[in-house]
Amino acid sequence: MAASSSTTADVWPSVFRLVAADGFCAFDDIVAALECSGKSRTAAMRAVERSGAEARGVDADRFGALLDECVASSLGDDAADAAKREASVVRHALGVLKTFERRLLARGEFMTAAECRHLEVTLQAARCEHTAADAALETALQTGGDMLREAT
């Protein structure tokens, strides 16, 4: 999974599939995900309630919308910057995955916790690849700029 805009759109559905039961993420799990994304427990609970969550939790669409809201609020004025948004989605997803992994282990759901850990490692590797590509592009642009200055 490369960290590109097409795959960051797939992050929340991928995370949702790991913790969903009967098409819903349990209320306590989505609250925990929002907490690890920077909301207080009270604010997280209110956000889930405002989303129209059912008693058994939230569906995939609400799950993604709630976590996207966390990403947007953490970005503030930079919400329109695609690169910063992408990096923030990945950072939030890594935190959510770590939280879910701990919760799954505590519930004895070892196979699902292992899948969660695998997705976390995959996402972390994609983030490293993306960072390396950004650094290479920055170096190339700087070299090109230096060559242009020397030519004039």
Side-chain angles (χ1 to χ4, degrees), residues 28-60:
D28 288 344
D29 285 338
I30 186 62
V31 168
L34 296 176
E35 282 182 290
C36 83
S37 294
K39 289 189 179 285
S40 70
R41 181 154 185 82
T42 303
M45 290 175 70
R46 272 193 241 133
V48 174
E49 290 166 358
R50 269 194 327 270
S51 77
E54 297 183 26
R56 56 187 169 170
V58 295
D59 61 18

PDB file of all heavy atoms in Angstrom, residues 28-60:
ATOM      1  N   ASP A  28     -17.507   1.721  21.711  1.00  0.00           N
ATOM      2  CA  ASP A  28     -16.279   1.909  22.494  1.00  0.00           C
ATOM      3  C   ASP A  28     -15.032   1.950  21.611  1.00  0.00           C
ATOM      4  O   ASP A  28     -14.084   2.680  21.910  1.00  0.00           O
ATOM      5  CB  ASP A  28     -16.119   0.808  23.543  1.00  0.00           C
ATOM      6  CG  ASP A  28     -17.097   0.958  24.696  1.00  0.00           C
ATOM      7  OD1 ASP A  28     -17.679   2.056  24.853  1.00  0.00           O
ATOM      8  OD2 ASP A  28     -17.271  -0.023  25.439  1.00  0.00           O
ATOM      9  N   ASP A  29     -15.026   1.182  20.526  1.00  0.00           N
ATOM     10  CA  ASP A  29     -13.868   1.174  19.635  1.00  0.00           C
ATOM     11  C   ASP A  29     -13.731   2.486  18.873  1.00  0.00           C
ATOM     12  O   ASP A  29     -12.631   3.018  18.744  1.00  0.00           O
ATOM     13  CB  ASP A  29     -13.941  -0.001  18.645  1.00  0.00           C
ATOM     14  CG  ASP A  29     -13.615  -1.335  19.291  1.00  0.00           C
ATOM     15  OD1 ASP A  29     -12.950  -1.351  20.351  1.00  0.00           O
ATOM     16  OD2 ASP A  29     -14.020  -2.374  18.729  1.00  0.00           O
ATOM     17  N   ILE A  30     -14.836   3.020  18.363  1.00  0.00           N
ATOM     18  CA  ILE A  30     -14.732   4.291  17.633  1.00  0.00           C
ATOM     19  C   ILE A  30     -14.394   5.429  18.596  1.00  0.00           C
ATOM     20  O   ILE A  30     -13.617   6.319  18.261  1.00  0.00           O
ATOM     21  CB  ILE A  30     -15.992   4.597  16.774  1.00  0.00           C
ATOM     22  CG1 ILE A  30     -15.777   5.850  15.913  1.00  0.00           C
ATOM     23  CG2 ILE A  30     -17.229   4.752  17.612  1.00  0.00           C
ATOM     24  CD1 ILE A  30     -14.663   5.774  14.897  1.00  0.00           C
ATOM     25  N   VAL A  31     -14.908   5.371  19.800  1.00  0.00           N
ATOM     26  CA  VAL A  31     -14.545   6.396  20.801  1.00  0.00           C
ATOM     27  C   VAL A  31     -13.041   6.319  21.079  1.00  0.00           C
ATOM     28  O   VAL A  31     -12.358   7.343  21.114  1.00  0.00           O
ATOM     29  CB  VAL A  31     -15.377   6.237  22.101  1.00  0.00           C
ATOM     30  CG1 VAL A  31     -14.808   7.094  23.227  1.00  0.00           C
ATOM     31  CG2 VAL A  31     -16.834   6.613  21.833  1.00  0.00           C
ATOM     32  N   ALA A  32     -12.504   5.115  21.239  1.00  0.00           N
ATOM     33  CA  ALA A  32     -11.068   4.938  21.469  1.00  0.00           C
ATOM     34  C   ALA A  32     -10.255   5.464  20.287  1.00  0.00           C
ATOM     35  O   ALA A  32      -9.209   6.096  20.465  1.00  0.00           O
ATOM     36  CB  ALA A  32     -10.736   3.475  21.730  1.00  0.00           C
ATOM     37  N   ALA A  33     -10.744   5.217  19.070  1.00  0.00           N
ATOM     38  CA  ALA A  33     -10.047   5.708  17.872  1.00  0.00           C
ATOM     39  C   ALA A  33     -10.022   7.235  17.857  1.00  0.00           C
ATOM     40  O   ALA A  33      -8.996   7.844  17.533  1.00  0.00           O
ATOM     41  CB  ALA A  33     -10.726   5.182  16.611  1.00  0.00           C
ATOM     42  N   LEU A  34     -11.118   7.854  18.221  1.00  0.00           N
ATOM     43  CA  LEU A  34     -11.175   9.315  18.244  1.00  0.00           C
ATOM     44  C   LEU A  34     -10.309   9.884  19.364  1.00  0.00           C
ATOM     45  O   LEU A  34      -9.674  10.926  19.200  1.00  0.00           O
ATOM     46  CB  LEU A  34     -12.623   9.799  18.379  1.00  0.00           C
ATOM     47  CG  LEU A  34     -13.540   9.454  17.202  1.00  0.00           C
ATOM     48  CD1 LEU A  34     -14.966   9.888  17.498  1.00  0.00           C
ATOM     49  CD2 LEU A  34     -13.041  10.062  15.912  1.00  0.00           C
ATOM     50  N   GLU A  35     -10.267   9.178  20.483  1.00  0.00           N
ATOM     51  CA  GLU A  35      -9.413   9.619  21.591  1.00  0.00           C
ATOM     52  C   GLU A  35      -7.943   9.608  21.184  1.00  0.00           C
ATOM     53  O   GLU A  35      -7.204  10.549  21.486  1.00  0.00           O
ATOM     54  CB  GLU A  35      -9.601   8.724  22.818  1.00  0.00           C
ATOM     55  CG  GLU A  35     -10.854   9.016  23.589  1.00  0.00           C
ATOM     56  CD  GLU A  35     -10.956   8.121  24.810  1.00  0.00           C
ATOM     57  OE1 GLU A  35     -11.175   6.902  24.650  1.00  0.00           O
ATOM     58  OE2 GLU A  35     -10.796   8.657  25.930  1.00  0.00           O
ATOM     59  N   CYS A  36      -7.510   8.549  20.508  1.00  0.00           N
ATOM     60  CA  CYS A  36      -6.096   8.486  20.125  1.00  0.00           C
ATOM     61  C   CYS A  36      -5.787   9.498  19.030  1.00  0.00           C
ATOM     62  O   CYS A  36      -4.633   9.800  18.777  1.00  0.00           O
ATOM     63  CB  CYS A  36      -5.684   7.075  19.720  1.00  0.00           C
ATOM     64  SG  CYS A  36      -6.059   6.628  18.040  1.00  0.00           S
ATOM     65  N   SER A  37      -6.819  10.049  18.407  1.00  0.00           N
ATOM     66  CA  SER A  37      -6.636  11.081  17.392  1.00  0.00           C
ATOM     67  C   SER A  37      -6.694  12.485  17.983  1.00  0.00           C
ATOM     68  O   SER A  37      -6.730  13.460  17.249  1.00  0.00           O
ATOM     69  CB  SER A  37      -7.699  10.936  16.301  1.00  0.00           C
ATOM     70  OG  SER A  37      -7.501   9.737  15.601  1.00  0.00           O
ATOM     71  N   GLY A  38      -6.741  12.561  19.310  1.00  0.00           N
ATOM     72  CA  GLY A  38      -6.630  13.862  19.961  1.00  0.00           C
ATOM     73  C   GLY A  38      -7.870  14.393  20.645  1.00  0.00           C
ATOM     74  O   GLY A  38      -7.826  15.446  21.269  1.00  0.00           O
ATOM     75  N   LYS A  39      -8.995  13.712  20.547  1.00  0.00           N
ATOM     76  CA  LYS A  39     -10.205  14.190  21.214  1.00  0.00           C
ATOM     77  C   LYS A  39     -10.250  13.674  22.655  1.00  0.00           C
ATOM     78  O   LYS A  39      -9.740  12.603  22.948  1.00  0.00           O
ATOM     79  CB  LYS A  39     -11.455  13.699  20.487  1.00  0.00           C
ATOM     80  CG  LYS A  39     -11.707  14.361  19.150  1.00  0.00           C
ATOM     81  CD  LYS A  39     -13.074  13.952  18.637  1.00  0.00           C
ATOM     82  CE  LYS A  39     -13.401  14.587  17.327  1.00  0.00           C
ATOM     83  NZ  LYS A  39     -13.759  15.987  17.419  1.00  0.00           N
ATOM     84  N   SER A  40     -10.868  14.455  23.529  1.00  0.00           N
ATOM     85  CA  SER A  40     -11.114  13.968  24.890  1.00  0.00           C
ATOM     86  C   SER A  40     -12.194  12.896  24.804  1.00  0.00           C
ATOM     87  O   SER A  40     -12.915  12.794  23.807  1.00  0.00           O
ATOM     88  CB  SER A  40     -11.598  15.110  25.781  1.00  0.00           C
ATOM     89  OG  SER A  40     -12.908  15.508  25.399  1.00  0.00           O
ATOM     90  N   ARG A  41     -12.303  12.083  25.830  1.00  0.00           N
ATOM     91  CA  ARG A  41     -13.317  11.018  25.823  1.00  0.00           C
ATOM     92  C   ARG A  41     -14.713  11.609  25.667  1.00  0.00           C
ATOM     93  O   ARG A  41     -15.521  11.110  24.892  1.00  0.00           O
ATOM     94  CB  ARG A  41     -13.222  10.183  27.100  1.00  0.00           C
ATOM     95  CG  ARG A  41     -14.241   9.048  27.115  1.00  0.00           C
ATOM     96  CD  ARG A  41     -13.793   7.895  27.975  1.00  0.00           C
ATOM     97  NE  ARG A  41     -14.688   6.777  27.903  1.00  0.00           N
ATOM     98  CZ  ARG A  41     -14.682   5.859  26.946  1.00  0.00           C
ATOM     99  NH1 ARG A  41     -13.814   5.937  25.982  1.00  0.00           N
ATOM    100  NH2 ARG A  41     -15.530   4.852  26.948  1.00  0.00           N
ATOM    101  N   THR A  42     -14.978  12.697  26.367  1.00  0.00           N
ATOM    102  CA  THR A  42     -16.295  13.343  26.283  1.00  0.00           C
ATOM    103  C   THR A  42     -16.558  13.868  24.881  1.00  0.00           C
ATOM    104  O   THR A  42     -17.631  13.650  24.315  1.00  0.00           O
ATOM    105  CB  THR A  42     -16.390  14.493  27.308  1.00  0.00           C
ATOM    106  OG1 THR A  42     -16.125  13.962  28.611  1.00  0.00           O
ATOM    107  CG2 THR A  42     -17.746  15.144  27.290  1.00  0.00           C
ATOM    108  N   ALA A  43     -15.570  14.544  24.299  1.00  0.00           N
ATOM    109  CA  ALA A  43     -15.733  15.071  22.938  1.00  0.00           C
ATOM    110  C   ALA A  43     -15.896  13.937  21.932  1.00  0.00           C
ATOM    111  O   ALA A  43     -16.696  14.041  20.992  1.00  0.00           O
ATOM    112  CB  ALA A  43     -14.544  15.949  22.571  1.00  0.00           C
ATOM    113  N   ALA A  44     -15.167  12.856  22.125  1.00  0.00           N
ATOM    114  CA  ALA A  44     -15.272  11.705  21.223  1.00  0.00           C
ATOM    115  C   ALA A  44     -16.662  11.082  21.311  1.00  0.00           C
ATOM    116  O   ALA A  44     -17.274  10.773  20.279  1.00  0.00           O
ATOM    117  CB  ALA A  44     -14.198  10.675  21.562  1.00  0.00           C
ATOM    118  N   MET A  45     -17.165  10.929  22.516  1.00  0.00           N
ATOM    119  CA  MET A  45     -18.496  10.347  22.695  1.00  0.00           C
ATOM    120  C   MET A  45     -19.564  11.243  22.066  1.00  0.00           C
ATOM    121  O   MET A  45     -20.477  10.751  21.401  1.00  0.00           O
ATOM    122  CB  MET A  45     -18.776  10.107  24.181  1.00  0.00           C
ATOM    123  CG  MET A  45     -17.932   8.969  24.740  1.00  0.00           C
ATOM    124  SD  MET A  45     -18.104   8.743  26.513  1.00  0.00           S
ATOM    125  CE  MET A  45     -19.754   8.102  26.607  1.00  0.00           C
ATOM    126  N   ARG A  46     -19.426  12.551  22.248  1.00  0.00           N
ATOM    127  CA  ARG A  46     -20.389  13.483  21.647  1.00  0.00           C
ATOM    128  C   ARG A  46     -20.340  13.408  20.123  1.00  0.00           C
ATOM    129  O   ARG A  46     -21.375  13.438  19.461  1.00  0.00           O
ATOM    130  CB  ARG A  46     -20.121  14.913  22.109  1.00  0.00           C
ATOM    131  CG  ARG A  46     -20.839  15.226  23.397  1.00  0.00           C
ATOM    132  CD  ARG A  46     -20.822  16.718  23.685  1.00  0.00           C
ATOM    133  NE  ARG A  46     -20.118  16.851  24.948  1.00  0.00           N
ATOM    134  CZ  ARG A  46     -19.154  17.698  25.220  1.00  0.00           C
ATOM    135  NH1 ARG A  46     -18.752  18.566  24.328  1.00  0.00           N
ATOM    136  NH2 ARG A  46     -18.578  17.720  26.396  1.00  0.00           N
ATOM    137  N   ALA A  47     -19.131  13.329  19.565  1.00  0.00           N
ATOM    138  CA  ALA A  47     -18.990  13.259  18.106  1.00  0.00           C
ATOM    139  C   ALA A  47     -19.661  12.000  17.560  1.00  0.00           C
ATOM    140  O   ALA A  47     -20.351  12.049  16.533  1.00  0.00           O
ATOM    141  CB  ALA A  47     -17.513  13.287  17.717  1.00  0.00           C
ATOM    142  N   VAL A  48     -19.470  10.884  18.245  1.00  0.00           N
ATOM    143  CA  VAL A  48     -20.088   9.631  17.801  1.00  0.00           C
ATOM    144  C   VAL A  48     -21.608   9.735  17.907  1.00  0.00           C
ATOM    145  O   VAL A  48     -22.334   9.340  16.983  1.00  0.00           O
ATOM    146  CB  VAL A  48     -19.552   8.427  18.612  1.00  0.00           C
ATOM    147  CG1 VAL A  48     -20.309   7.161  18.259  1.00  0.00           C
ATOM    148  CG2 VAL A  48     -18.064   8.245  18.358  1.00  0.00           C
ATOM    149  N   GLU A  49     -22.102  10.292  18.984  1.00  0.00           N
ATOM    150  CA  GLU A  49     -23.553  10.448  19.150  1.00  0.00           C
ATOM    151  C   GLU A  49     -24.129  11.374  18.087  1.00  0.00           C
ATOM    152  O   GLU A  49     -25.185  11.095  17.520  1.00  0.00           O
ATOM    153  CB  GLU A  49     -23.867  10.950  20.561  1.00  0.00           C
ATOM    154  CG  GLU A  49     -23.614   9.905  21.625  1.00  0.00           C
ATOM    155  CD  GLU A  49     -23.598  10.450  23.049  1.00  0.00           C
ATOM    156  OE1 GLU A  49     -23.759  11.681  23.233  1.00  0.00           O
ATOM    157  OE2 GLU A  49     -23.403   9.650  23.970  1.00  0.00           O
ATOM    158  N   ARG A  50     -23.426  12.487  17.804  1.00  0.00           N
ATOM    159  CA  ARG A  50     -23.873  13.441  16.772  1.00  0.00           C
ATOM    160  C   ARG A  50     -23.886  12.804  15.382  1.00  0.00           C
ATOM    161  O   ARG A  50     -24.650  13.215  14.515  1.00  0.00           O
ATOM    162  CB  ARG A  50     -22.948  14.663  16.722  1.00  0.00           C
ATOM    163  CG  ARG A  50     -23.358  15.807  17.593  1.00  0.00           C
ATOM    164  CD  ARG A  50     -22.617  17.096  17.243  1.00  0.00           C
ATOM    165  NE  ARG A  50     -21.257  16.930  16.767  1.00  0.00           N
ATOM    166  CZ  ARG A  50     -20.168  16.913  17.531  1.00  0.00           C
ATOM    167  NH1 ARG A  50     -20.267  17.043  18.828  1.00  0.00           N
ATOM    168  NH2 ARG A  50     -18.971  16.769  16.998  1.00  0.00           N
ATOM    169  N   SER A  51     -23.033  11.824  15.170  1.00  0.00           N
ATOM    170  CA  SER A  51     -22.930  11.188  13.854  1.00  0.00           C
ATOM    171  C   SER A  51     -24.143  10.334  13.524  1.00  0.00           C
ATOM    172  O   SER A  51     -24.284   9.875  12.398  1.00  0.00           O
ATOM    173  CB  SER A  51     -21.668  10.324  13.773  1.00  0.00           C
ATOM    174  OG  SER A  51     -21.849   9.104  14.456  1.00  0.00           O
ATOM    175  N   GLY A  52     -24.991  10.106  14.511  1.00  0.00           N
ATOM    176  CA  GLY A  52     -26.157   9.265  14.291  1.00  0.00           C
ATOM    177  C   GLY A  52     -25.860   7.799  14.493  1.00  0.00           C
ATOM    178  O   GLY A  52     -26.519   6.941  13.906  1.00  0.00           O
ATOM    179  N   ALA A  53     -24.871   7.507  15.312  1.00  0.00           N
ATOM    180  CA  ALA A  53     -24.483   6.120  15.567  1.00  0.00           C
ATOM    181  C   ALA A  53     -25.655   5.331  16.130  1.00  0.00           C
ATOM    182  O   ALA A  53     -26.466   5.855  16.884  1.00  0.00           O
ATOM    183  CB  ALA A  53     -23.321   6.083  16.557  1.00  0.00           C
ATOM    184  N   GLU A  54     -25.699   4.092  15.732  1.00  0.00           N
ATOM    185  CA  GLU A  54     -26.705   3.194  16.281  1.00  0.00           C
ATOM    186  C   GLU A  54     -26.181   2.619  17.588  1.00  0.00           C
ATOM    187  O   GLU A  54     -25.006   2.778  17.914  1.00  0.00           O
ATOM    188  CB  GLU A  54     -26.990   2.066  15.286  1.00  0.00           C
ATOM    189  CG  GLU A  54     -27.567   2.584  13.977  1.00  0.00           C
ATOM    190  CD  GLU A  54     -27.906   1.468  13.024  1.00  0.00           C
ATOM    191  OE1 GLU A  54     -28.179   0.334  13.486  1.00  0.00           O
ATOM    192  OE2 GLU A  54     -27.919   1.731  11.818  1.00  0.00           O
ATOM    193  N   ALA A  55     -27.026   1.926  18.321  1.00  0.00           N
ATOM    194  CA  ALA A  55     -26.628   1.352  19.614  1.00  0.00           C
ATOM    195  C   ALA A  55     -25.453   0.395  19.459  1.00  0.00           C
ATOM    196  O   ALA A  55     -24.590   0.300  20.336  1.00  0.00           O
ATOM    197  CB  ALA A  55     -27.808   0.630  20.255  1.00  0.00           C
ATOM    198  N   ARG A  56     -25.372  -0.295  18.319  1.00  0.00           N
ATOM    199  CA  ARG A  56     -24.290  -1.259  18.137  1.00  0.00           C
ATOM    200  C   ARG A  56     -23.019  -0.627  17.582  1.00  0.00           C
ATOM    201  O   ARG A  56     -22.022  -1.322  17.398  1.00  0.00           O
ATOM    202  CB  ARG A  56     -24.748  -2.417  17.256  1.00  0.00           C
ATOM    203  CG  ARG A  56     -25.285  -2.003  15.929  1.00  0.00           C
ATOM    204  CD  ARG A  56     -25.871  -3.185  15.198  1.00  0.00           C
ATOM    205  NE  ARG A  56     -26.608  -2.704  14.042  1.00  0.00           N
ATOM    206  CZ  ARG A  56     -27.080  -3.477  13.112  1.00  0.00           C
ATOM    207  NH1 ARG A  56     -26.917  -4.777  13.195  1.00  0.00           N
ATOM    208  NH2 ARG A  56     -27.734  -2.986  12.103  1.00  0.00           N
ATOM    209  N   GLY A  57     -23.042   0.666  17.296  1.00  0.00           N
ATOM    210  CA  GLY A  57     -21.838   1.351  16.834  1.00  0.00           C
ATOM    211  C   GLY A  57     -22.059   2.148  15.567  1.00  0.00           C
ATOM    212  O   GLY A  57     -23.166   2.600  15.296  1.00  0.00           O
ATOM    213  N   VAL A  58     -20.980   2.304  14.788  1.00  0.00           N
ATOM    214  CA  VAL A  58     -21.046   3.097  13.557  1.00  0.00           C
ATOM    215  C   VAL A  58     -20.740   2.214  12.351  1.00  0.00           C
ATOM    216  O   VAL A  58     -19.972   1.267  12.441  1.00  0.00           O
ATOM    217  CB  VAL A  58     -20.069   4.294  13.586  1.00  0.00           C
ATOM    218  CG1 VAL A  58     -20.455   5.292  14.668  1.00  0.00           C
ATOM    219  CG2 VAL A  58     -18.629   3.856  13.758  1.00  0.00           C
ATOM    220  N   ASP A  59     -21.356   2.570  11.233  1.00  0.00           N
ATOM    221  CA  ASP A  59     -21.071   1.847   9.993  1.00  0.00           C
ATOM    222  C   ASP A  59     -19.791   2.404   9.362  1.00  0.00           C
ATOM    223  O   ASP A  59     -19.186   3.343   9.886  1.00  0.00           O
ATOM    224  CB  ASP A  59     -22.262   1.928   9.038  1.00  0.00           C
ATOM    225  CG  ASP A  59     -22.616   3.357   8.631  1.00  0.00           C
ATOM    226  OD1 ASP A  59     -21.781   4.276   8.778  1.00  0.00           O
ATOM    227  OD2 ASP A  59     -23.748   3.548   8.143  1.00  0.00           O
ATOM    228  N   ALA A  60     -19.393   1.842   8.241  1.00  0.00           N
ATOM    229  CA  ALA A  60     -18.131   2.218   7.593  1.00  0.00           C
ATOM    230  C   ALA A  60     -18.108   3.687   7.186  1.00  0.00           C
ATOM    231  O   ALA A  60     -17.088   4.370   7.344  1.00  0.00           O
ATOM    232  CB  ALA A  60     -17.879   1.326   6.381  1.00  0.00           C
TER     233      ALA A  60
END
